Amino acid sequence: MKTVEIIGYNRANLGKSEAKRLRAEGHVPCVIYGGEEQVHFYAPAILFRELIYTDQAHFVHLNIEGREFEAILQDAQFHPVSEILLHVDFLQMFAGKTIKMNIPVHFEGNSPGVAKGGTLIKKRRHLTVKALPKDLPEFITVDLAKLDFGRALKVGEIEENNFEILDSKIASVAVVEIPRALRGKSDEEEEEEGVEEGAEGAEAPAAEGGEAPTAEGGEA
């Protein structure tokens, strides 16, 4: 897995007004935890582009005024309207200790259901993985070659290579939706078959009897 280096600076004050001032100057307030102590710092927003706006997972090498940490991105908060990066949490990692990390999912291959006119629905774009740092993948590849109509690709079908996927094994990663036009055609065909079967069933008694039934006590 690739490593992104971020150079940070210790925060003297932790109030909201100070955080607002830092953002106005193009910085992002941050915190790293998971070690002996929490360290609050800030870093230039431009340094986060390769870390956050990507479809691959990365390790992070933090250099905070000479203090160095190995970490992973734990959480990123954005403004709901402007989408400005507001705050970032890092989790310190250690070589011999397992960690949990959200890993992006990459879809590859051609789905038979899509080739027939279906729509691919990606249910999960990230999966939570537990592993030693050396075994964490940059992304998880999901093959769509067997994904047809009426079938979902489940988490349990994904191969685990020295890591454990913590999401439910029965959770869907991707499905192919049948277009409404094709669903409507299928329903009409079923209805037509039902009508034909019903008509054949109604004609059967008259054909078997040979004579028309008479009222009770009457003569034919």
Side-chain angles (χ1 to χ4, degrees), residues 16-31:
K16 291 183 178 180
S17 59
E18 178 66 10
K20 186 176 181 180
R21 183 187 67 79
L22 289 173
R23 296 185 189 109
E25 294 177 354
H27 299 295
V28 179
C30 306
V31 62

Side-chain angles (χ1 to χ4, degrees), residues 121-141:
I121 305 298
K122 299 175 181 178
K123 295 287 189 177
R124 277 174 164 74
R125 296 183 179 273
H126 292 81
L127 293 171
T128 303
V129 168
K130 180 180 179 181
L132 291 171
K134 68 181 182 65
D135 294 324
L136 284 169
E138 293 182 350
F139 55 86
I140 295 174
T141 301

Side-chain angles (χ1 to χ4, degrees), residues 99-126:
I99 55 175
K100 300 176 184 177
M101 187 175 184
N102 289 333
I103 304 296
V105 175
H106 285 195
F107 297 90
E108 68 175 23
N110 298 317
S111 163
V114 173
K116 296 174 184 176
T119 302
L120 177 65
I121 305 298
K122 299 175 181 178
K123 295 287 189 177
R124 277 174 164 74
R125 296 183 179 273
H126 292 81

Side-chain angles (χ1 to χ4, degrees), residues 23 42-43 66 79 84 123 182:
R23 296 185 189 109
Y42 65 91
H79 190 281
I84 292 175
K123 295 287 189 177
L182 295 181

Side-chain angles (χ1 to χ4, degrees), residues 1-205:
M1 187 183 295
K2 297 178 182 177
T3 299
V4 174
E5 183 174 15
I6 292 181
I7 299 174
Y9 306 90
N10 289 310
R11 290 183 61 184
N13 301 308
L14 301 179
K16 291 183 178 180
S17 59
E18 178 66 10
K20 186 176 181 180
R21 183 187 67 79
L22 289 173
R23 296 185 189 109
E25 294 177 354
H27 299 295
V28 179
C30 306
V31 62
I32 178 173
Y33 48 79
E36 296 181 356
E37 61 175 329
Q38 289 189 3
V39 179
H40 295 270
F41 65 100
Y42 65 91
I46 194 172
L47 298 180
F48 291 87
R49 289 181 178 177
E50 188 178 351
L51 177 63
I52 293 178
Y53 305 101
T54 177
D55 62 351
Q56 295 183 357
H58 291 82
F59 292 140
V60 182
H61 179 79
L62 291 173
N63 186 332
I64 306 172
E65 296 189 17
R67 300 175 64 188
E68 299 185 4
F69 305 87
E70 304 302 323
I72 60 170
L73 175 69
Q74 187 74 0
D75 186 39
Q77 301 173 19
F78 297 86
H79 190 281
V81 178
S82 65
E83 297 186 356
I84 292 175
L85 186 59
L86 298 177
H87 193 275
V88 174
D89 291 5
F90 291 98
L91 176 66
Q92 188 172 358
M93 68 177 183
F94 303 91
K97 185 177 179 181
T98 59
I99 55 175
K100 300 176 184 177
M101 187 175 184
N102 289 333
I103 304 296
V105 175
H106 285 195
F107 297 90
E108 68 175 23
N110 298 317
S111 163
V114 173
K116 296 174 184 176
T119 302
L120 177 65
I121 305 298
K122 299 175 181 178
K123 295 287 189 177
R124 277 174 164 74
R125 296 183 179 273
H126 292 81
L127 293 171
T128 303
V129 168
K130 180 180 179 181
L132 291 171
K134 68 181 182 65
D135 294 324
L136 284 169
E138 293 182 350
F139 55 86
I140 295 174
T141 301
V142 173
D143 189 2
L144 303 174
K146 296 182 179 179
L147 190 58
D148 207 340
F149 284 154
R151 188 176 182 277
L153 195 153
K154 305 290 187 179
V155 171
E157 300 177 57
I158 300 174
E159 182 180 358
E160 297 176 334
N161 186 15
N162 293 328
F163 58 80
E164 179 186 359
I165 299 176
L166 301 181
D167 298 70
S168 171
K169 302 301 182 185
I170 62 173
S172 296
V173 180
V175 299
V176 174
E177 283 193 351
I178 303 175
R180 183 174 299 178
L182 295 181
R183 290 202 304 266
K185 182 178 180 181
S186 177
D187 293 341
E188 289 174 3
E189 290 174 352
E190 290 180 1
E191 289 178 3
E192 289 176 0
E193 289 176 1
V195 170
E196 290 175 0
E197 291 175 359
E200 291 175 0
E203 294 172 2

